[in-house]
Amino acid sequence: MSSARETTRDRSEELFARAVELMPGGVNSPVRAFRAVGGMPQFIRSANGATITDVDGRTYIDYVGSWGPMILGHADPEIVAALQEAATRGTSFGAPNELEVELAEEIVDAVPSIEMVRMVNSGTEATMSAIRLARGVTGRNKLVKFEGCYHGHGDSLLVKAGSGVATLGLPDSPGVPASLAENTLTAPFNDLDSLEQVFKQHADIAAVIIEPIVGNMGCVPPQEGYLKAVRELTSRHGTLLIFDEVMTGFRVARGGAQQLYGVMPDITTLGKIIGGGLPVGAYGGSRDLMDHIAPVGPIYQAGTLSGNPLSMTAGLTTLKRLRDLSIYETLERATSKLCNGLSAAAEDAGIETVINRVGSMWTGFFNREPVTNWTTANKSDRKLFGRFFHAMLDHGVYLAPSQFEAGFVSLAHSDEIIDRTISAAGKAFDSIKG
Ligand code: HOZ
């Protein structure tokens, strides 16, 4: 592992100077621009196993994992071989293919509430389509989301959103018509009373959409019984419950958060892991519900590259590997060791942190109180996080460049890699204390 201080950043600097002239902020997705932590992003040339290497030749232990998909590690040999072979047979047909049937079978087998699924190209597309389905089926317009949850950049969902929206401190986005945004109601996560109030005030709620384990204000688990209570409330009001499992699907358990907590939504959105690192999304639910989607039903949704053979190949190869449930025990052990080590290192340095974790999804908050919702997450010391982030980079560890994102551990994060991370964190905490 090279230390950041040993080499120059000439190539990244040169690329960034060109990029900012060509793309807003020099990036194709806002959080990558390092605005929340200061400095300039590294341009990545390659990734392998648990590490990424930038264009200046510096290698880092990676906990971003492409924001979640890389559960097997980067450039997994089986996935690379499968993709090479698939590419020789054509990269997109715009027609049905065998691989999408196999991936759908794998998803239906794993995710308890899904009987039928529709593939799309991103998590954003999945949540937009899920909401249309819910509105179309119920004939209602209103939608409830939770403060600090992020479900992609669809118009209806950019209200009190997490992820980059929270990171950049943009309350709501210009360009979303007020007439649409007013159909989106919000409530604090982990607070049933507030949600009950929303239902008392509004009769026509089509859907409640929730990250069952939040990843986009940092990792925030649901409190005991909360998801079950949300399920009961929505059922009572004839409102559909959408679990956004783009991050948690196949991540916290093979069957996602719904399997882990034993709570079944009406509609589930998926992405990330089911594409094995290639662009993908999906939404699914009961046969009855999904039969409302065109061409069977009247609710329209379509996509040129949907179900393309490359995304299906990488996804299918990944999901077949995840049939081995011992993988989740391995990830649990590795991530628990990591988080315990980080906690101890912070304590040794006299720095207060709160580390939230479910399985291999985690966030270390620079915070003094338990982080259970957006109000508490937002009390985190972002400046201190920014200093820690850069100190970790200097010691060869690449974290998400925002306090409000989850970290991800992959199967490639060996004991030795975790030990090196903890030792780097010890030095990083020491360097930022005081
Ligand atoms: N919204 C993503 C994380 N929650 C960031 C995606 C990216 O920058 O690639």
Side-chain angles (χ1 to χ4, degrees):
M1 206 68 34
S2 56
S3 156
R5 301 206 189 280
E6 286 166 14
T7 52
T8 65
R9 301 186 61 193
D10 293 353
R11 184 80 181 128
S12 270
E13 272 170 30
E14 185 210 314
L15 284 171
F16 194 53
R18 280 164 59 197
V20 291
E21 297 300 322
L22 298 164
M23 299 178 278
V27 291
N28 282 313
S29 193
V31 186
R32 301 175 193 181
F34 276 33
R35 292 277 168 107
V37 291
M40 187 203 72
Q42 284 78 0
F43 281 67
I44 305 305
R45 182 169 48 211
S46 63
N48 194 276
T51 63
I52 52 172
T53 300
D54 70 15
V55 288
D56 293 298
R58 290 155 40 176
T59 296
Y60 305 87
I61 299 173
D62 175 30
Y63 288 98
V64 177
S66 190
W67 306 91
M70 313 313 304
I71 194 164
L72 303 179
H74 291 287
D76 176 82
E78 197 187 342
I79 292 189
V80 172
L83 281 172
Q84 282 169 337
E85 203 270 324
T88 63
R89 284 182 275 115
T91 56
S92 181
F93 311 134
N97 64 78
E98 189 170 343
L99 292 160
E100 57 192 350
V101 180
E102 285 186 41
L103 187 61
E105 281 169 349
E106 204 68 36
I107 290 171
V108 167
D109 180 61
V111 184
S113 70
I114 296 186
E115 290 175 354
M116 289 188 101
V117 63
R118 167 63 62 84
M119 305 296 173
V120 292
N121 298 291
S122 69
T124 291
E125 239 188 279
T127 56
M128 282 164 45
S129 310
I131 289 163
R132 182 175 303 148
L133 173 59
R135 285 177 165 152
V137 168
T138 60
R140 302 174 182 178
N141 284 334
K142 293 213 163 64
L143 170 74
V144 179
K145 75 173 283 292
F146 295 88
E147 294 165 8
C149 281
Y150 177 77
H151 307 283
H153 58 84
D155 279 352
S156 299
L157 293 160
L158 283 182
V159 180
K160 295 192 182 168
S163 189
V165 184
T167 298
L168 298 172
L170 308 167
D172 302 302
S173 178
V176 175
S179 56
L180 194 61
E182 73 197 15
N183 280 317
T184 303
L185 314 166
T186 58
F189 186 73
N190 271 332
D191 178 346
L192 192 64
D193 289 348
S194 298
L195 187 61
E196 276 170 349
Q197 282 309 315
V198 174
F199 272 95
K200 275 187 190 138
Q201 286 155 12
H202 301 271
D204 57 340
I205 300 173
V208 168
I209 185 165
I210 190 167
E211 294 180 78
I213 300 159
V214 188
N216 284 296
M217 51 177 129
C219 177
V220 179
Q223 284 168 344
E224 175 93 41
Y226 177 65
L227 293 176
K228 189 164 172 277
V230 172
R231 172 69 283 183
E232 282 163 10
L233 186 62
T234 47
S235 297
R236 234 178 13 252
H237 288 269
T239 295
L240 297 182
L241 179 59
I242 304 172
F243 272 9
D244 180 348
E245 297 233 42
V246 168
M247 260 187 212
T248 53
F250 292 88
R251 163 64 64 183
V252 295
R254 181 165 177 261
Q258 57 194 263
Q259 179 196 320
L260 194 66
Y261 296 105
V263 177
M264 297 306 132
D266 299 294
I267 306 174
T268 302
T269 60
L270 296 166
K272 299 195 190 278
I273 288 175
I274 65 158
L278 269 73
V280 88
Y283 62 103
S286 67
R287 187 171 304 280
D288 267 6
L289 266 182
M290 295 303 286
D291 273 350
H292 288 82
I293 300 290
V296 181
I299 300 173
Y300 201 74
Q301 179 273 309
T304 298
L305 289 164
S306 298
N308 79 81
L310 290 192
S311 297
M312 299 298 103
T313 294
L316 190 56
T317 311
T318 304
L319 297 200
K320 281 185 176 164
R321 288 265 286 283
L322 296 177
R323 285 180 192 167
D324 172 3
L325 300 183
S326 72
I327 281 177
Y328 291 98
E329 287 159 30
T330 306
L331 290 169
E332 168 72 28
R333 267 197 307 276
T335 319
S336 155
K337 175 177 165 148
L338 172 72
C339 291
N340 291 339
L342 294 179
S343 226
E347 214 176 305
D348 286 349
I351 293 176
E352 284 180 287
T353 56
V354 171
I355 302 194
N356 283 355
R357 177 180 79 83
V358 180
S360 55
M361 222 176 126
W362 62 281
T363 299
F365 293 93
F366 286 84
N367 208 315
R368 295 184 171 165
E369 56 183 285
V371 177
T372 57
N373 57 22
W374 172 242
T375 305
T376 44
N378 196 26
K379 287 182 187 165
S380 304
D381 187 336
R382 302 171 199 211
K383 282 210 177 105
L384 198 54
F385 172 81
R387 285 166 57 203
F388 180 68
F389 169 83
H390 281 290
M392 287 296 267
L393 268 188
D394 285 350
H395 291 289
V397 179
Y398 187 83
L399 302 172
S402 164
Q403 174 71 101
F404 306 123
E405 296 287 351
F408 298 98
V409 169
S410 78
L411 281 179
H413 288 78
S414 61
D415 256 11
E416 192 258 332
I417 292 240
I418 303 276
D419 284 338
R420 267 170 33 207
T421 307
I422 296 168
S423 145
K427 292 178 202 148
F429 282 126
D430 277 343
S431 74
I432 63 164
K433 70 182 172 195

